[in-house]
Amino acid sequence: MARDDHRQVNTKVIEVSDSVALAKAAAERVMARIAANGDRVAICLTGGSSPKQLYQLFATDAFRSRIPWDRVHWFIGDERFVPADDPLNNMGMARQIFLDRWAPASNIHPIPTDTADPDKAARRYENELQTFYGAAQLDPARPLFDVVLMGVGPDGHTASLFPDYPAIEATGRWVVGVPQAHVEPFVPRVTLTLPALNSCREMLFEVAGSEKRAILTRVLDGENLPANRARSTGETIWLVDTAALPEHFRGR
Ligand code: 6PG
């Protein structure tokens, strides 16, 4: 397989100075997508540490006053299979930072983790997504999400789609259970699949810090990694701070 096979097309890398600038740029992109859709908006959040500053911005007066909370729905791209109030819970983090203060409860769509196992949680969330979307088949002309936020892990995973795990190849499902994680935290996961995540107007990766440079080099070199197979049917943006960006990409 040629490494170039997985180089991203319709993808833009945007360099910003640091993690503060990155959160601001991400917030403005989300605001632009909300403004572009005068109807019901669907945003798929992500976990990990990368989006924390963005979520903190959404809680500030400057941003929360610009968000039409009644018509924005908040989903999550993957979840750690831990109780909703566990500090590791991805949606729990977003709820605590901004959602519970400003979003109507009926517009918050967490992946349930009070089910018997991750597969049952996946079935329930798939059902919730399909009910929201109004169909069980995705129509390329009508993306499921306005924005999908993403991060990248040290092994090239994104959401809970780990390299060489069956979930990355799932095509008939929108959400699947992942019995074991490939990296910390080693708890079972529930993840949206590529067809569901990719069905969006914009996919927005946030990558900051020098510790991400090694994996970002592999991604931008076009290696076959989950983060390279996640790409929007619309626009895919990699928002990257200077510390994370490989040298030969800087200042481009
Ligand atoms: C999770 C995430 C995961 C994350 C990456 C990056 O549940 O852990 O959704 O895909 O986005 O691992 O994590 P950091 O932002 O913490 O580096």
Side-chain angles (χ1 to χ4, degrees):
M1 182 215 63
R3 281 161 76 85
D4 281 3
D5 284 354
H6 294 275
R7 200 177 293 273
Q8 298 237 352
V9 286
N10 294 332
T11 293
K12 208 156 125 194
V13 177
I14 300 178
E15 180 183 358
V16 291
S17 54
D18 54 25
S19 63
V20 174
L22 188 140
K24 270 195 197 140
E28 288 300 347
R29 294 199 71 91
V30 172
M31 296 311 303
R33 288 289 168 185
I34 293 175
N37 180 354
D39 204 346
R40 192 180 66 164
V41 175
I43 297 180
C44 186
L45 300 171
T46 186
S49 55
S50 303
K52 272 191 186 162
Q53 280 177 284
L54 169 65
Y55 298 167
Q56 281 158 358
L57 275 186
F58 287 151
T60 60
D61 282 350
F63 281 95
R64 65 126 191 112
S65 59
R66 289 166 63 194
I67 298 174
W69 294 98
D70 283 350
R71 60 183 185 86
V72 181
H73 287 256
W74 307 90
F75 296 86
I76 189 90
D78 75 310
E79 192 52 272
R80 289 96 177 257
F81 198 68
V82 295
D85 59 359
D86 188 295
L88 287 177
N89 190 282
N90 285 337
M91 192 56 127
M93 186 241 313
R95 294 187 81 133
Q96 199 220 329
I97 300 178
F98 76 105
L99 288 177
D100 280 348
R101 245 185 300 164
W102 304 112
S106 55
N107 290 14
I108 306 174
H109 303 266
I111 291 176
T113 54
D114 56 354
T115 56
D117 56 55
D119 281 333
K120 290 217 168 56
R123 294 275 174 197
R124 263 174 58 185
Y125 206 54
E126 183 168 276
N127 194 43
E128 180 162 354
L129 282 169
Q130 293 180 346
T131 302
F132 178 85
Y133 185 68
Q137 292 298 321
L138 290 163
D139 173 359
R142 192 168 67 87
L144 173 58
F145 299 114
D146 291 86
V147 184
V148 171
L149 295 172
M150 295 285 235
V152 60
D155 55 352
H157 80 262
T158 192
S160 284
L161 298 170
F162 299 104
D164 303 323
Y165 274 39
I168 185 74
E169 305 300 342
T171 50
R173 299 281 308 276
W174 293 20
V175 191
V176 294
V178 179
Q180 209 188 342
H182 189 237
V183 295
E184 281 186 352
F186 293 104
V187 293
R189 313 285 187 100
V190 179
T191 189
L192 270 62
T193 60
L194 287 178
L197 291 165
N198 291 353
S199 178
C200 60
R201 296 185 192 283
E202 177 167 333
M203 181 175 283
L204 185 55
F205 283 86
E206 283 188 274
V207 189
S210 56
E211 65 282 7
K212 296 276 178 179
R213 199 185 307 155
I215 189 58
L216 195 60
T217 305
R218 293 173 59 195
V219 169
L220 297 179
D221 276 353
E223 202 175 316
N224 181 6
L225 295 166
N228 255 347
R229 293 178 59 188
R231 57 187 79 178
S232 171
T233 48
E235 209 179 355
T236 304
I237 302 289
W238 284 76
L239 265 182
V240 180
D241 81 347
T242 302
L245 199 61
E247 239 153 75
H248 58 288
F249 271 90
R250 290 195 197 150
R252 277 198 189 177

